[in-house]
Amino acid sequence: MQVTLLGTGDTTGTPTPGCDCDTCERARELGVERTRFSVHIHNEVTDESLLVDISPDFRHQMLDHEVSLPDAALVTHIHFDHLHGMGNAYRLLSSLPVHAADETDPETGKSVAETVAGDYDYLDAVTVTGHDAHESFEVCGFEVTFVPVVHPPLVCYGVRIDHGDASLAITGDTNFGIADASREALSGADLLLADGITPASRCQYHPLGGDHHDDDGVPRTFGTKHMTIEGARDLAAELDADRYRVLHVSHFTPADRAFEDPLAVDGEQYQL
């Protein structure tokens, strides 16, 4: 499978519009971007492509990185930066099967699958199939599993994707408090794409501080919703990933480390 990181940024992206912080200025100098989250996975055997989350930057991402239009998509949760590119199915795609978890969210009273089906019922191309968490299904020749993670207040899912001996794990938007069963499902992947919004040092500026501290008191969760970069690093070590990249990175990451490994930028490709 060929994995292309289409969108590696948080909800505002980097550079952020109207922002002249050092990190945004450095991104402009380097000519790199972190647009809103999306991952493209191509199956060379079947010549099909699967999209994990449908970014509001869909058109821009497809043109910039010259990947094929998706044959199917997964939706991990209903925040706009992961979902609101769905309207691009209009006229561009004759068919877009969308797969999402069907667990009822106590916050909304609907599952992710039901929300997508209801909000985008005007798009004839879109059909939605719900799936149980931890239950594998096949799409685009891949074996796919939705894995529950922790992104309050909404339900959210990571994804495990396997094809032959190759495996990709995506944490989805999450804090460090992922349950053991989900950690096991995401473990041992050839490539792990881990949520990490900013360094732990920035927790002092969050109204809720940080959480899930390590033995040295370093927070591995920023506020309640996302891992710190240190949290992503520690999770990758725990999950024994062969390689890992940190995504969903914000422009609050200081410029002197914002574009260093293992922090991903848009357009990176990996052959698994």
Side-chain angles (χ1 to χ4, degrees):
M1 68 176 86
Q2 184 181 66
V3 179
T4 303
L5 310 186
L6 297 181
T8 57
D10 70 337
T11 188
T12 65
T14 303
T16 294
C19 182
D20 60 358
C21 74
D22 289 346
T23 301
C24 288
E25 288 299 323
R26 184 60 177 152
R28 295 182 184 103
E29 291 170 6
L30 294 172
V32 297
E33 276 194 285
R34 290 190 173 116
T35 57
R36 275 75 67 87
F37 187 91
S38 187
V39 178
H40 184 278
I41 305 112
H42 183 67
N43 186 334
E44 297 96 333
V45 176
T46 65
D47 195 29
E48 294 175 291
S49 293
L50 178 64
L51 201 62
V52 179
D53 287 338
I54 307 173
S55 169
D57 299 310
F58 178 96
R59 178 182 178 277
H60 177 56
Q61 292 170 347
M62 290 289 156
L63 291 172
D64 270 11
H65 305 299
E66 298 182 347
V67 293
S68 57
L69 289 170
D71 295 286
L74 312 178
V75 174
T76 63
H77 66 297
I78 61 171
H79 279 154
F80 93 99
D81 53 324
H82 294 254
L83 176 60
H84 280 9
M86 188 79 72
N88 288 279
Y90 181 65
R91 292 188 178 175
L92 289 183
L93 302 170
S94 59
S95 174
L96 183 65
V98 174
H99 300 265
D102 61 5
E103 173 190 8
T104 300
D105 188 338
E107 188 74 16
T108 66
K110 296 185 290 185
S111 68
V112 175
E114 288 171 328
T115 297
V116 174
D119 289 357
Y120 294 96
D121 61 348
Y122 65 93
L123 294 172
D124 292 339
V126 173
T127 56
V128 182
T129 302
H131 300 274
D132 292 338
H134 290 298
E135 294 293 329
S136 298
F137 59 96
E138 185 172 318
V139 57
C140 295
F142 299 119
E143 182 181 343
V144 176
T145 308
F146 284 113
V147 180
V149 292
V150 187
H151 187 54
L154 300 175
V155 294
C156 187
Y157 303 86
V159 179
R160 173 73 181 234
I161 299 173
D162 292 283
H163 184 248
D165 295 331
S167 55
L168 170 68
I170 303 173
T171 68
D173 284 14
T174 186
N175 68 31
F176 190 77
I178 301 171
D180 289 344
S182 293
R183 288 173 184 258
E184 182 177 352
L186 296 170
S187 68
D190 296 311
L191 177 64
L192 171 70
L193 304 179
D195 172 63
I197 197 163
T198 196
S201 60
R202 303 294 293 183
C203 290
Q204 63 180 309
Y205 302 109
H206 194 290
L208 299 177
D211 200 357
H212 303 109
H213 298 77
D214 67 14
D215 291 340
D216 295 321
V218 176
R220 293 178 287 193
T221 292
F222 179 74
T224 62
K225 295 184 179 183
H226 296 274
M227 287 190 287
T228 61
I229 291 167
E230 290 84 350
R233 175 202 64 202
D234 288 356
L235 183 69
E238 288 187 21
L239 298 185
D240 194 26
D242 284 352
R243 291 180 287 178
Y244 82 100
R245 302 296 284 166
V246 179
L247 285 73
H248 215 282
V249 181
S250 76
H251 71 135
F252 297 116
T253 303
D256 61 354
R257 61 179 296 194
F259 305 102
E260 296 180 347
D261 285 344
L263 309 187
V265 295
D266 291 7
E268 294 182 14
Q269 284 193 332
Y270 297 91
Q271 190 71 39
L272 306 183

